[in-house]
Structures are given as C-alpha cells and as structure tokens.
Amino acid sequence: MSDQEKVRVSVVIHGKQYTITGTESPDHMKDVAEIVDEKMREIHSINPNLNTETLAVLTAVNSIHEYTKLQEEYERLLQELHRIKE
C-alpha cells in the first residue's frame, strides 16, 4: 500500500458483513465487494451445497481466471497497437 490515507468501508458479501480497509475510494471498494458477492451468488446458485470456504475458493479461482484472460487480451492488444504504429 502507498502512503495514502486508508479508508474503511463496511460491505456485505454472501450475507456476511466485512470491514474492508484500503486506499481506494469507498465507492470503488463497495463496487469490488459487490462483484465478489455477485460471483459467489452465481456459483452458489449452480451448486447450493457448497460450504462457504469452498464457495470462496471457487470464487477466487474463477475471478483470477477471468483476470488472467483479460490480462492476456490486454497484452495481445498492446502488441497489435505496437505493430500498427511501426
């Protein structure tokens, strides 16, 4: 974390309240928590028998999968942009 002032935000994820601390805006942190909550609800709707720990791990795995796919696409687009500029 940087030297920026830390902000504390109360959020609800999968029915449980958490306090998140960070240097981003409260709106950003709430948006992130809302996305996590949506992902957990989505996975839970497919398999309602999952315990919270397994649900959280699967949510993390799915989120990182999506992140790495976006990162790969970003790199591909950067390469394409450099190719076009040359």
Side-chain angles (χ1 to χ4, degrees):
M1 292 214 168
S2 69
D3 292 334
Q4 294 175 308
E5 186 175 327
K6 292 183 181 176
V7 177
R8 295 170 58 92
V9 176
S10 180
V11 298
V12 176
I13 300 173
H14 197 62
K16 186 172 179 184
Q17 187 164 352
Y18 296 91
T19 299
I20 299 175
T21 304
T23 57
E24 297 293 336
S25 73
D27 285 341
H28 174 79
M29 292 193 293
K30 287 177 183 177
D31 288 345
V32 169
E34 186 176 322
I35 292 168
V36 171
D37 183 59
E38 288 172 9
K39 293 277 184 198
M40 288 184 80
R41 283 189 278 122
E42 178 184 320
I43 293 170
H44 186 258
S45 72
I46 295 168
N47 191 343
N49 297 321
L50 294 175
N51 63 41
T52 303
E53 180 181 349
T54 302
L55 181 59
V57 169
L58 289 176
T59 300
V61 168
N62 279 289
S63 296
I64 295 302
H65 167 72
E66 291 175 10
Y67 171 78
T68 57
K69 293 305 248 181
L70 286 171
Q71 202 171 29
E72 290 168 3
E73 180 65 7
Y74 172 75
E75 291 298 325
R76 187 192 68 74
L77 290 170
L78 277 180
Q79 289 174 1
E80 181 67 15
L81 180 62
H82 290 315
R83 186 188 67 74
I84 291 170
K85 285 183 173 180
E86 293 178 350

